[in-house]
Amino acid sequence: MAYDNLTLHTDKYQINMMYAHWVQGTGNRRAVFDVYFRKLPFGNGFAVFAGLERIVKYIEGLSFGDEEIAYLAQQEEQYRPEFLETLRRFRFTGDLYAVPEGTLVFPNEPLIRVEATIFEAHLIETALLNFMNYQTLVATKAARVKLVAGDDVLLEFGTRRAQEADAAIWGARAAYIAGFDATSNMRAGMLFGIPAKGTHAHAWVQAHSSEHEAFSRYAEVLPDQSTLLVDTYDTLRSGLPNAIKTAKELEQRGKRLNAIRLDSGDLSYLSQKARRMLDEAGFPEVKIVASNDLDENIIFNLKAQGARIDVWGVGTQLITAADNPALGGVYKLVARETGEGMVPVIKISGNPEKVTTPGLKDVYRIINRETGKAEADYIALKDEEDVREGRRIKLFDPVHPYIHKYVDNYEAKPLLQPVYRKGELVGSLPDLEAVRAYHREQLDMFWPEYLRKLNPESYPVDLSTKCWEQKMRLIEEYRA
């Protein structure tokens, strides 16, 4: 079994729809799909788009080999042999546009646009959503932690609690995009160039006859990178005194203890006591690392209580996005090819938030030239020129259209950038450090009211007048 071949990383109904289009002779008709989410996770004011590199690697590897064809031939649908031979020749030949990784994004705006044959577009839906939903979720969670932690060092510690190996490495990458400084996962470090950091386990202490012996021998082996875990027995009466004794031994050899780590107990109280003990012993430079099911809410409260923590190890709550474990991104058909060319299509639902916005569209970030801050995101039909040329536009709430204003002194930054054209990768993706730097620039573009952890202001995502009128027209046509 070719375990690394992700071509069948899809839902069965995608293959069934591909087969139905092939039988009907409609598989080569062009279609346009938008990928977006409807609701922000964690009660946050923004999300951080991530997952594009994984999507590109997936598309580059799309290929139905002998094992995939043999498996499909066994299905109860009894696909025709000619269809299976068509799959054997499959390659992605479409266009794909996406916002850059690290972009701050918001509900109901296209983050990816796929323009391809309906045959190709159906195959890639499930994987695109899988990769984008998970990595965007973790990146958003990481951004919340980063905004609370400020300039403190953040370590991603989630591997052993992640939902399998791929989640661990790609989650580490998503966290790094959003501001984490290092990961404990060595494979993520090797694959992506993320700094790898680690301390030692309680088992190291338990494997020695005394805590001091464990610390001393660890420091002998790693004299320049020693961080000592001090809570195996008693943090203040045993762990800290033994760590200080070891720090003095290192000092006699011209070395310095790097840090101590707290992994249980009252982290606020223990960190304050530890800081005092370290300072009084002459080691103000020794850092305090904290872990133990941390998230942005706990870190926020610990800081408010005066905790003296320099480095935060965040694991389970981050890598599993424990308080909001699914993003809910969707992949919706918005235009299809007919004998009259490309025509917009709409999905109507009894849930108003599920009604789609039809047509081939672009998304622009409207930047106020006077403040340099983002004013709104603006969704316009592909052929609209006013926003591209900087002419006066109307910004209005699509749910409450009477709430509106006009803007004319702005810069419109297109968010959807070409990634594939006719099945060929456009240029190359930025490296991870560039993505990380871009994300930091994005944060500077928004007022703090949109970024705060609690009760953030809602950032406007508006439709152009033409886009809104087309949506209303199609709703009325189908209701009639």
Side-chain angles (χ1 to χ4, degrees):
M1 181 177 65
Y3 182 80
D4 292 331
N5 187 331
L6 295 177
T7 305
L8 286 183
H9 184 53
T10 190
D11 293 304
K12 189 169 187 177
Y13 83 160
Q14 310 287 11
I15 302 294
N16 286 345
M17 287 186 289
M18 293 168 70
Y19 183 62
H21 276 296
W22 178 82
V23 171
Q24 293 181 348
T26 56
N28 286 326
R29 291 183 181 175
R30 302 281 291 179
V32 180
F33 286 83
D34 285 346
V35 180
Y36 58 96
F37 61 88
R38 299 187 181 107
K39 183 180 179 181
L40 285 163
F42 316 114
N44 208 42
F46 64 91
V48 179
F49 177 70
L52 183 58
E53 181 166 317
R54 178 76 152 136
I55 289 168
V56 167
K57 290 180 182 295
Y58 157 76
I59 290 176
E60 287 178 341
L62 281 176
S63 174
F64 287 88
D66 291 342
E67 292 171 330
E68 288 74 31
I69 296 298
Y71 176 73
L72 291 172
Q74 299 169 7
Q75 300 301 298
E76 60 186 0
E77 285 80 2
Q78 296 184 341
Y79 304 122
R80 295 181 198 171
E82 297 88 348
F83 170 70
L84 299 180
E85 286 305 309
T86 298
L87 293 182
R88 194 182 293 276
R89 298 188 297 272
F90 180 93
R91 63 180 294 269
F92 181 73
T93 64
D95 301 340
L96 187 144
Y97 296 79
V99 302
E101 283 195 285
T103 301
L104 268 59
V105 293
F106 303 91
N108 299 311
E109 60 185 11
L111 309 181
I112 302 172
R113 188 177 74 229
V114 176
E115 302 176 39
T117 66
I118 193 77
F119 193 79
E120 297 167 358
H122 276 312
L123 177 64
I124 67 175
E125 172 183 351
T126 302
L128 261 64
L129 287 175
N130 180 204
F131 304 147
M132 183 209 77
N133 278 333
Y134 174 67
Q135 293 190 47
T136 298
L137 191 69
V138 174
T140 304
K141 183 75 169 176
R144 284 173 60 80
V145 175
K146 176 62 178 175
L147 286 170
V148 167
D151 294 330
D152 296 348
V153 174
L154 290 171
L155 309 179
E156 184 278 309
F157 276 1
T159 296
R160 61 189 61 191
R161 305 288 172 75
Q163 281 90 348
E164 245 286 341
D166 280 354
I169 62 168
W170 290 100
R173 182 182 181 276
Y176 190 66
I177 286 173
F180 271 60
D181 298 285
T183 178
S184 65
N185 188 296
M186 296 295 285
R187 185 163 174 248
M190 180 182 70
L191 291 173
F192 307 126
I194 303 171
K197 299 289 185 182
T199 60
H200 65 74
H202 293 104
W204 175 263
V205 178
Q206 295 170 281
H208 292 79
S209 58
S210 71
E211 192 171 45
H212 175 248
E213 179 189 4
F215 289 172
S216 183
R217 290 191 175 180
Y218 189 75
E220 286 174 7
V221 176
L222 294 168
D224 297 311
Q225 297 294 331
S226 289
T227 295
L228 302 177
L229 182 58
V230 296
D231 72 331
T232 303
Y233 303 121
D234 187 305
T235 300
L236 298 180
R237 291 192 298 176
S238 174
L240 258 299
N242 283 316
I244 290 170
K245 189 183 298 184
T246 305
K248 291 177 179 178
E249 293 168 355
L250 280 169
E251 189 175 49
Q252 289 173 0
R253 304 205 308 267
K255 301 292 184 179
R256 288 283 184 179
L257 179 64
N258 182 47
I260 59 101
R261 176 181 161 205
L262 306 171
D263 190 47
S264 60
D266 185 331
L267 296 179
S268 175
Y269 172 75
L270 291 175
S271 67
Q272 292 178 59
K273 294 289 285 186
R275 181 75 277 153
R276 187 176 306 129
M277 290 172 69
L278 289 167
D279 289 352
E280 289 175 354
F283 298 106
E285 76 285 351
V286 173
K287 305 295 184 184
I288 298 176
V289 181
S291 51
N292 190 23
D293 268 355
L294 299 176
D295 66 5
E296 69 274 28
N297 301 307
I298 293 173
I299 294 172
F300 181 85
N301 288 331
L302 287 172
K303 280 180 164 287
Q305 294 164 20
R308 300 295 302 275
I309 295 167
D310 308 292
V311 182
W312 306 87
V314 187
T316 305
Q317 303 299 318
L318 170 66
I319 207 73
T320 65
D323 50 337
N324 198 139
L327 180 64
V330 295
Y331 184 100
K332 295 299 180 184
L333 182 69
V334 294
R336 66 184 182 92
E337 184 180 15
T338 68
E340 301 175 357
M342 296 297 291
V343 298
V345 298
I346 192 170
K347 173 187 175 292
I348 297 178
S349 171
N351 301 107
E353 69 276 7
K354 290 190 174 183
V355 177
T356 60
T357 300
L360 187 59
K361 304 174 292 295
D362 278 320
V363 186
Y364 300 89
R365 183 145 292 163
I366 305 302
I367 308 297
N368 186 309
R369 291 187 185 278
E370 293 181 3
T371 65
K373 299 293 187 182
E375 191 95 357
D377 284 3
Y378 186 77
I379 303 172
L381 299 179
K382 182 73 173 175
D383 58 0
E384 292 192 54
E385 295 182 354
D386 285 354
V387 64
R388 287 201 302 269
E389 297 182 3
R391 295 198 284 263
R392 191 184 200 214
I393 56 174
K394 181 181 182 181
L395 301 179
F396 65 92
D397 185 330
V399 179
H400 306 99
Y402 63 89
I403 301 175
H404 68 272
K405 66 178 178 180
Y406 293 92
V407 295
D408 47 26
N409 186 22
Y410 65 88
E411 178 186 1
K413 293 190 174 183
L415 294 186
L416 290 169
Q417 300 295 320
V419 180
Y420 279 91
R421 283 203 179 105
K422 296 182 179 180
E424 299 294 331
L425 188 63
V426 178
S428 59
L429 295 178
D431 65 34
L432 189 54
E433 291 300 328
V435 173
R436 184 174 158 89
Y438 168 77
H439 171 69
R440 288 196 296 269
E441 293 170 1
Q442 283 279 295
L443 291 169
D444 292 337
M445 194 180 292
F446 289 83
W447 295 107
E449 289 80 0
Y450 299 122
L451 305 180
R452 65 188 175 215
K453 185 175 79 73
L454 295 175
N455 299 317
E457 183 68 24
S458 294
Y459 178 77
V461 176
D462 300 327
L463 302 180
S464 73
T465 301
K466 289 182 179 179
C467 189
W468 187 79
E469 288 175 347
Q470 176 173 270
K471 183 174 183 175
M472 296 302 105
R473 175 176 59 79
L474 286 176
I475 290 173
E476 289 304 316
E477 284 181 10
Y478 281 95
R479 288 184 62 192

